[in-house]
């Protein structure tokens, strides 16, 4: 539970959990690594534990030694041993304190408890008494002005002139009186021994003159041995204290009382201890009615097992020894809740110890755990109870250790339960692939006792150690399983001999190594037909050329295996069947199953598809080919046979589409692939894919310097479809590029006629006419075309009653429309042909734009050209790439450099349609050029 106290100690001392005194030395070693530095503290710790008769110097030396190491924060070790009691005090004390007045905590150490109490009751005046000067200094710094500190020892305060305290309204003696009196104490003391050990009456006389009459005394024994809360209550009553009450039970007990006007002087008689071999005797309580039986009678009944008669003769509510005996009878009858109530009334140390066992039986593990950890050193039923508590809390390793060490026959069932749960946890870890953790749990059980290892744990340990390559441990587990008749043991010995982690690595083993472990493999198959052993034997027979035996082993291995081993078995089975001349359909079926478990390379699947088609199995061929189509053509150097097979099985469209997808994923496709794609596209010339392929093929031809090849391609396309505008556009651009302006004009005129007379598209006609005007602005025929288009537009506007977009259009305005006005911005253009550059440069410069144009006819990809372009980019306001005219090896490094410099980039989509397409791209790019220019200024 994350209480306020735990949060405080976590923030101030990095303290997460309580510390048992038995673990003090190991915790000290963690904080102070040097043995020479630890030795003085360990000597002081030993003297502190052996202190007797009020040896305050031992107490002072111990605490002063701890505080002399501030970097190690050793004061946290003290608070860790007291942590549960501090939580208890902070929980119950604030409501017990008076409404106002002074409160003194005796033995405040460095002030953690008094600070927590002060924060809970800030209206009170708080004082702290401490005898260690270093602790007083730290406490004053920790609490500030909220607590007044006094240096001295109780009950010596006020006895000398050097220290006088005001009278208090409450005095807190919390976990401080046992200090200095700890030598050789048992867990609890009888009443007389308690008074004598701690000088209880004499030391409480120190309250005279310190605690006001009617003031509150709060006494807590803390985590120390020798506890007897009933004796403390009795002593306070004998001294004259009133309202003596006990808060809490068991280990966590706080006694409160009111101070009388004067303490009564008493002489305490200490009784001698009784012989150990006799049952402890105590005075019979005074009762009304029938007389109670003697303790010896009840002891005799318990020894006879007459528990029911014990309950009849000892009534409920009996205190003392008889109450303890009644509790033992109820405990023997497994009536644990009633036994807990009866033992709580006994007031005896052995009764308190037995109560802890009752808490475990009632599943109250957290309550019982701290006390059980102290009692476990006695062994027997306390170790059994501690093991059950750990088991209930899920601390399986600790539970197993305690249950194994207790040595009781009744622990066997819980021991088996702990082993089963450890096996379940190790199995879950192995399924998650956490082999080291699974192996660690098996190793813990083995270290405790090899006899505790069950078959399941041995199998898990073998699997985990094989996966980690721990061959010695794996061999040990495998040998144990082999001796128990387990097939996994024989297989484990074989895998250890081969030094492989599993069946996946068997195909890399040499034949000689497999031959050496053949006896173990044969034994594993004979015992349980282990799948891995079957696979290994089948592989061995396959390599030896004994294919009939290999087929028998591999068929059984394929049925029993899963995942990659199954794929390996089917693959070897298919090869063996091929060697034996089995039908091709059966062989291909095994290859198909092998591929389902362990994917084949794409090239091998293509070969299988070819074999299936030649064997007359088109369905199987399509299945193998499906994976090839998904993977694409990038895995093949020669794509022709693949496309031929796709065309034969799936049709020409699928072959064409597969090639188009491959071209889309390739940055610089080879010219041969583009030519093949173009040939395939002829059957689908109207599709968008065919247009894209034709454009890519033309750009590749231009890039390779094959202008005649590009012209032949375009002419062939034009002959097939004379009215195709896309072809006319490309052909006109080609003529422009080669300087054949008359042919270019004729082609543009043909395109204008198609757009105007066939398509009846005025906007497209406007664009084509603009291209013609750029070629020859003084041609009178173009003026006639313009007048005809204007007349058509006027008639349409009257018919549709919309504004006429052609009103006032002249050749000059048509050439300049849509082009923005620039103001000295600098643009770098990469791509296009020489004629386009020569015509556009003067025109754009008159519009106020400065250009550096690197066309694809003059500049090819080279280190010097790329460096020159990149040097211009440092002062450019934009970069335009005409993608259809420039190769990737030139445009990509330029584009990356522009992005690094923050220069905006525009890449023309598709083919720039002559002059019109380029001007349209400039108009779209203009806003980004302006923005860059403004930033630069």
């Amino acid at each position: 539970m994350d209480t306020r106290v735990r949060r405080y100690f976590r923030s101030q001392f990095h303290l997460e959990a309580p510390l048992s005194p038995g673990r003090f030395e190991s915790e000290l070693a963690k904080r102070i690594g040097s043995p020479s530095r630890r030795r003085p503290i360990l000597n002081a710790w030993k003297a502190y534990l052996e202190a007797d008769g009020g040896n305050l110097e031992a107490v002072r030396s111990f605490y002063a030694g701890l505080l002399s190491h501030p970097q190690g924060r050793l004061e946290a070790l003290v608070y860790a041993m007291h942590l549960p009691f501090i939580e208890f005090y902070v929980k119950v004390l604030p409501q017990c304190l008076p409404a106002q007045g002074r409160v003194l905590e005796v033995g405040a150490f460095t002030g953690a408890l008094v600070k927590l109490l002060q924060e809970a009751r800030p209206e009170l005046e708080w004082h702290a008494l401490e005898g260690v000067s270093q602790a007083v200094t730290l406490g004053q710094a920790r609490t500030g002005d909220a607590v007044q500190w006094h240096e001295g020892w109780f009950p010596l305060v006020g006895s000398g002139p050097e220290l006088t305290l005001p009278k208090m309204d409450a005095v807190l003696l919390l976990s401080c009186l046992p200090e200095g009196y700890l030598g050789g104490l048992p867990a609890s003391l009888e009443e007389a021994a308690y008074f004598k050990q701690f000088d209880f009456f004499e030391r409480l006389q120190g309250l005279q003159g310190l605690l006001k009459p009617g003031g509150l005394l709060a006494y807590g024994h803390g985590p120390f041995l020798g506890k007897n809360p009933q004796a403390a209550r009795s002593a306070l009553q004998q001294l004259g204290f009133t309202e003596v009450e006990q808060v809490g039970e068991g280990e966590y007990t706080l006694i409160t009382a009111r101070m009388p006007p004067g303490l009564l002087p008493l002489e305490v008689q200490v009784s001698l201890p009784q012989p150990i071999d006799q049952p402890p005797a105590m005075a019979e309580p005074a009762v009304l009615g029938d007389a109670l039986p003697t303790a010896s009678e009840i002891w005799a009944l318990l020894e006879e097992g007459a528990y029911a008669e014990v309950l009849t003769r000892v009534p409920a509510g009996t205190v003392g020894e008889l109450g303890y005996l009644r509790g033992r009878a109820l405990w023997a009858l497994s009536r644990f809740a009633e036994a807990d109530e009866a033992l709580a009334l006994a007031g005896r140390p052995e009764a308190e110890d037995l109560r802890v066992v009752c808490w475990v039986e009632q599943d109250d593990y957290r309550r019982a755990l701290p006390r059980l950890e102290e009692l476990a050193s006695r062994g027997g039923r306390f170790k059994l109870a501690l093991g059950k508590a750990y088991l209930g809390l899920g601390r399986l390793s600790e539970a197993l250790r305690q249950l194994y060490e207790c040595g009781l026959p009744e622990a066997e069932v819980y021991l088996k339960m702990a082993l089963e749960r450890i096996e379940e946890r190790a199995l879950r870890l192995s399924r998650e692939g956490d082999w080291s953790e699974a192996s660690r749990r098996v190793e813990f059980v083995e270290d405790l006792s090899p006899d505790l290892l069950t078959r399941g744990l041995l199998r898990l340990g073998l699997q985990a150690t094989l996966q980690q390559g721990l061959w010695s441990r794996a061999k040990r587990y495998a040998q144990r399983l082999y001796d128990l008749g387990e097939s996994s043991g024989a297989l484990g010995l074989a895998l250890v001999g081969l030094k492989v982690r599993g069946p996946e690595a068997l195909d890399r083993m040499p034949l000689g190594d497999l031959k050496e472990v053949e006896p173990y493999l044969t034994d594993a198959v004979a015992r349980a037909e282990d799948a891995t052993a079957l696979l290994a034997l089948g592989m061995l027979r396959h390599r030896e050329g004994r294919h009939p035996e290999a087929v028998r082993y591999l068929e059984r291995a394929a049925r029993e295996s899963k995942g990659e081993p199954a794929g390996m078995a089917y693959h070897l089975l298919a090869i063996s069947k091929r060697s034996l001349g089995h039908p091709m359909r059966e062989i291909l079926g095994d290859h198909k199953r092998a591929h389902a478990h362990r994917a084949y390379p794409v090239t091998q699947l293509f070969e299988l598809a070819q074999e299936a088609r030649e064997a007359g199995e088109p369905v199987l061929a399509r299945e193998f080919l499906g994976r090839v189509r998904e993977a694409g053509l990038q895995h093949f150097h020669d794509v022709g046979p693949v496309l031929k097979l796709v065309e034969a099985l799936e049709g020409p469209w699928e072959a064409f589409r597969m090639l188009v997808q491959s071209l889309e994923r390739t940055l610089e496709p080879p010219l041969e692939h583009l030519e093949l794609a173009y040939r395939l596209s002829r059957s689908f010339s109207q599709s968008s894919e065919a247009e894209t392929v034709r454009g890519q093929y033309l750009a590749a031809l231009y890039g390779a310097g094959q202008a005649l090849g590009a012209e032949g391609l375009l002419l062939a396309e034009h002959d097939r479809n004379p009215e195709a505008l896309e072809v006319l556009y490309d052909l006109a651009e080609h003529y422009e590029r080669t300087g054949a302006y008359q042919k270019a004009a004729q082609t543009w005129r043909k395109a204008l006629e198609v757009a105007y007379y066939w398509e009846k598209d005025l906007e497209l006609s406007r664009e084509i006419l603009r291209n013609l005007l750029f070629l020859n602005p003084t041609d009178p025929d173009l003026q006639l075309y313009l007048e005809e288009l204007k007349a058509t537009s006027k008639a349409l506007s009257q018919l549709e009653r919309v504004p006429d977009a052609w009103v006032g259009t002249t050749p000059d305005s048509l050439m300049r429309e849509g082009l923005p006005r620039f103001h000295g911005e600098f643009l770098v253009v990469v791509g296009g042909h020489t004629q386009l550059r020569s015509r556009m440069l003067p025109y754009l410069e008159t519009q106020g734009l400065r250009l550096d144009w690197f066309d694809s006819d003059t500049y090819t990809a080279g280190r010097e050209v790329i460096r020159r372009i990149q040097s211009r980019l440092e002062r450019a306001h934009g970069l335009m790439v005409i993608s259809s005219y420039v190769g990737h090896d030139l445009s990509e490094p330029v584009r990356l450099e522009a992005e690094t410099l923050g220069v905006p980039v525009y890449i023309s989509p598709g083919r720039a349609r002559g002059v019109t397409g380029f001007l349209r791209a400039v108009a779209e790019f203009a806003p980004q050029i302006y923005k860059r220019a403004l930033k630069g200024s």
Side-chain angles (χ1 to χ4, degrees), residues 858-877:
T858 308
Y859 301 95
T860 57
R863 184 176 302 174
E864 184 61 34
V865 174
I866 294 174
R867 186 181 298 113
R868 190 186 311 169
I869 298 173
Q870 290 175 341
S871 66
R872 306 290 175 88
L873 288 174
E874 295 180 358
R875 53 191 178 87
H877 300 131

Side-chain angles (χ1 to χ4, degrees), residues 672-700:
E672 309 82 58
H673 291 184
L674 290 170
E675 182 181 1
L676 179 59
Y678 172 71
R679 286 204 307 268
L680 291 172
S681 71
R682 290 179 179 176
S683 303
F684 319 101
S685 58
Q686 302 303 318
S687 65
S688 59
E689 290 88 348
E691 295 178 6
T692 302
V693 166
R694 185 175 64 247
Q696 287 181 305
Y697 186 35
L698 281 173

